[in-house]
Amino acid sequence: MRIEVDEDLCCGAGSCVLAAPTVFDQNDDDGTVLLLDPAPGAELGAAVREAAARCPTAAIRVV
Amino acid sequence: MVHSRAAGNHAARPFPTARPIGCPFDPPAAFTQAREECPITPLRYPDGHIGHLVTGLGAARAVLADPRFSSLPAGKRSPVKVPGSELSTDALPAGMFVNMDPPEHTRYRRLLSKHFTIRRVRELRPRIQEMTDRLLDAMADQGGPADLVKAFAKPLPTLVTSELLGLPEADRAEFGRHVDVLFSLSTSGEEMRRSMATLGGMLHALIAAARKNPGTDILGRLTVETDLSDEELLGITIVLLIAGLETTTNMLALGTYALLRHPGQLAALRADWSLMDDAVEELLRYLSVVQIGPIRVAAEDFDFEGRSVRKGQVVTVSLPAANRDPLGFEDPDTFDIRRGTTRHVAFGNGPHQCMGHHLARLELAIGYESLLRRFPRLELAAAAEGIATREMMVTYGVRELPVRW
Ligand code: HEM
Ligand code: SF4
């Protein structure tokens, strides 16, 4: 599983961090998403898909 | 004979406001009818304008995330007449980013989001707990019965916001009084304007003080870290007040009411406090206190989910309706604190999704749990029929909640 985030779309809501805290974090400067782990293991699949679904601006893509 | 001009709009309905008798928590039944026709249906505004009403969860998310639906004030109208809507928006200060589209909106959001990240919000936990405990101490000292709105649900968010803005403790009571006037149901337009002017003065003074002697609160940090003008800071502060106070207050009071009216659910929560986060999510979904809007204006002509949308048409999303969509939630009208879903739209969606959602969740979790733990026998001190609700207001809730313990 590979993850792409579009920082331009991100509005810094941080919902991804709640859903998958080991994969996403928020930048301390502007609240936008920080990808901690661009290729998380399959065991995180559900959490990552939840993060992508909850992202209000569809800034997260799972490929 | 069908009038030809109205032919395409014959089904346009006014915005539903009548909630079912006997259940203060269910949205008006007319939303369900509308959703069964189509997740987007024609809507008639008070001035005769025909726009759209969004009642489906998928459509609500899609509208709020679609840049063709603009947040700019031009042409926007409310689907019902609400208090304060007659106030002119011309005099609003700069920096009110709720009424902006990207990229202007993005600029403000980027400057502010850092103060509302999960990390920052979690640092506030001990302070919020302290303020909560102090309010509950005062309630216990006074003895019941008490109006929970006045004693707890109103002051807690006001105190938290004062803290965020760095308002000196000594000014908080006066600040709270004017905020009350602004949000009161019985206030005349004239009174409202006066309180707005007084609050404006207080906020200007606060901004001047932050420039001179910046603290670690949001205003202090913004004066140091950004080149925002005083007027922009004023606009931002007003947005934080408007967006964060009434919403949280009504969630605290209406949420407590909902728990008291569902004793089985309340007992389950009391037996296992680890259900609290799920209970907060379910209360947010089930109650959806933002009951009028978000409102958007179509920026161009286009087809949207099978509907033709014309430039300038006003679109009103019903969050309570979307959060009861059977396509999104099993048994949507059942209140179930174990539901464990976070995919509701109580905080909106898209680039304007609530910036304070982590803070709101924390205030609610601390607020409900501390209240229920402090008063193990908390109960209503009035018959359910006697508890008046806030119809026709942007934010739904109870006007008063008499409780004893
Ligand atoms: C339970 C309480 C709350 C609820 C239900 C709620 C709900 C909402 C909703 C539905 C929106 C979207 C408006 C739109 O799309 O036009 C919104 C926006 C916003 N909320 Fe909240 N809110 C709550 C608490 C708070 C708190 C505590 C704060 C901060 C102190 C806050 C700050 C904001 C801001 C700044 C916006 C505007 C964001 C933007 O336009 O980019 N909210 N809120
Ligand atoms: S949920 Fe989406 S918008 Fe929010 S921080 Fe994560 S990527 Fe950004």
Side-chain angles (χ1 to χ4, degrees):
Chain A
M1 180 172 50
R2 234 169 32 77
I3 300 174
E4 289 170 1
V5 295
D6 185 338
E7 283 96 354
D8 291 339
L9 284 179
C10 173
C11 68
S15 293
C16 52
V17 190
L18 276 187
T22 58
V23 181
F24 304 100
D25 197 0
Q26 276 176 291
N27 191 327
D28 276 327
D29 290 332
D30 60 10
T32 54
V33 61
L34 282 177
L35 193 51
L36 300 177
D37 184 356
E43 72 285 358
L44 287 168
V48 166
R49 275 190 298 277
E50 175 70 17
R54 286 180 62 180
C55 173
T57 57
I60 300 170
R61 284 210 314 144
V62 185
V63 289
Chain B
M1 201 190 87
V2 179
H3 199 284
S4 67
R5 220 183 108 245
N9 296 327
H10 65 279
R13 54 163 63 72
F15 190 75
T17 53
R19 291 192 178 240
I21 293 164
C23 185
F25 311 120
D26 281 348
F31 281 126
T32 314
Q33 285 157 23
R35 194 196 308 108
E36 282 166 1
E37 280 166 30
C38 182
I40 310 181
T41 48
L43 175 67
R44 182 185 303 279
Y45 289 75
D47 64 354
H49 174 85
I50 303 290
H52 302 274
L53 170 66
V54 180
T55 48
L57 179 67
R61 297 185 64 115
V63 165
L64 295 175
D66 192 321
R68 293 173 297 186
F69 293 108
S70 166
S71 288
L72 296 178
K76 233 193 230 176
R77 26 166 104 49
S78 172
V80 291
K81 288 208 173 74
V82 293
S85 61
E86 76 283 2
L87 291 180
S88 159
T89 50
D90 299 346
L92 292 178
M96 298 205 49
F97 57 97
V98 266
N99 295 322
M100 294 178 194
D101 286 338
E104 291 76 21
H105 170 260
T106 319
R107 175 175 160 253
Y108 288 98
R109 196 74 198 204
R110 291 278 150 89
L111 294 177
L112 281 164
S113 287
K114 64 185 290 188
H115 300 288
F116 293 91
T117 62
I118 303 189
R119 215 178 348 265
R120 285 288 296 133
V121 166
R122 285 190 179 146
E123 287 167 11
L124 293 170
R125 178 181 272 279
R127 276 298 286 151
I128 297 177
Q129 186 68 60
E130 203 180 309
M131 294 187 273
T132 304
D133 290 342
R134 245 195 277 164
L135 290 172
L136 294 173
D137 286 344
M139 261 176 81
D141 285 350
Q142 272 220 310
D147 170 15
L148 191 78
V149 174
K150 198 163 164 209
F152 187 62
K154 252 187 199 173
L156 181 58
T158 309
L159 287 172
V160 172
T161 308
S162 306
E163 181 96 358
L164 290 180
L165 295 175
L167 193 72
E169 301 252 358
D171 294 342
R172 291 185 186 180
E174 191 190 350
F175 180 74
R177 262 200 314 279
H178 288 292
V179 168
D180 266 9
V181 171
L182 225 53
F183 290 146
S184 142
L185 299 172
S186 48
T187 313
S188 67
E190 185 46 44
E191 258 180 298
M192 224 174 207
R193 259 184 288 272
R194 245 183 293 135
S195 260
M196 203 122 100
T198 313
L199 265 183
M202 287 184 83
L203 295 176
H204 268 303
L206 189 62
I207 291 165
R211 284 221 188 274
K212 229 162 127 193
N213 198 358
T216 54
D217 53 88
I218 294 183
L219 273 182
R221 302 263 305 270
L222 287 174
T223 58
V224 175
E225 295 168 2
T226 71
D227 53 10
L228 291 166
S229 67
D230 284 1
E231 206 202 337
E232 287 174 304
L233 289 174
L234 181 65
I236 288 168
T237 311
I238 293 173
V239 167
L240 294 179
L241 295 178
I242 294 177
L245 293 184
E246 268 207 316
T247 43
T248 315
T249 289
N250 284 298
M251 269 308 297
L252 281 169
L254 190 67
T256 304
Y257 184 32
L259 287 168
L260 292 174
R261 289 279 300 267
H262 293 84
Q265 300 278 322
L266 178 55
L269 183 59
R270 284 192 181 280
D272 179 3
W273 294 110
S274 74
L275 289 172
M276 185 46 87
D277 287 347
D278 282 347
V280 167
E281 288 316 310
E282 178 64 350
L283 286 164
L284 286 162
R285 181 197 74 87
Y286 184 66
L287 301 173
S288 296
V289 293
V290 176
Q291 65 174 348
I292 302 174
I295 301 168
R296 300 289 189 263
V297 181
E300 53 186 89
D301 293 339
F302 59 104
D303 278 335
F304 188 80
E305 309 215 334
R307 287 263 157 196
S308 106
V309 171
R310 276 172 293 122
K311 182 172 176 180
Q313 274 194 309
V314 181
V315 181
T316 297
V317 178
S318 168
L319 301 178
N323 278 337
R324 299 293 186 102
D325 186 345
L327 292 180
F329 310 96
E330 210 174 297
D331 262 337
D333 293 328
T334 302
F335 174 58
D336 177 6
I337 60 169
R338 291 191 180 83
R339 185 180 289 275
T341 179
T342 50
R343 292 196 189 176
H344 60 74
V345 284
F347 290 118
N349 192 46
H352 288 275
Q353 194 201 48
C354 182
M355 203 169 69
H357 68 126
H358 298 305
L359 178 62
R361 286 182 162 109
L362 185 65
E363 280 184 65
L364 294 177
I366 293 179
Y368 297 136
E369 182 166 341
S370 309
L371 172 74
L372 294 170
R373 277 181 187 264
R374 173 69 64 98
F375 304 118
R377 285 189 304 278
L378 189 74
E379 61 178 13
L380 294 175
E385 308 79 62
I387 294 174
T389 50
R390 296 162 47 93
E391 316 291 337
M392 309 291 281
M393 309 288 296
V394 173
T395 317
Y396 186 61
V398 286
R399 296 175 187 219
E400 287 177 0
L401 191 69
V403 291
R404 59 178 169 240
W405 49 87

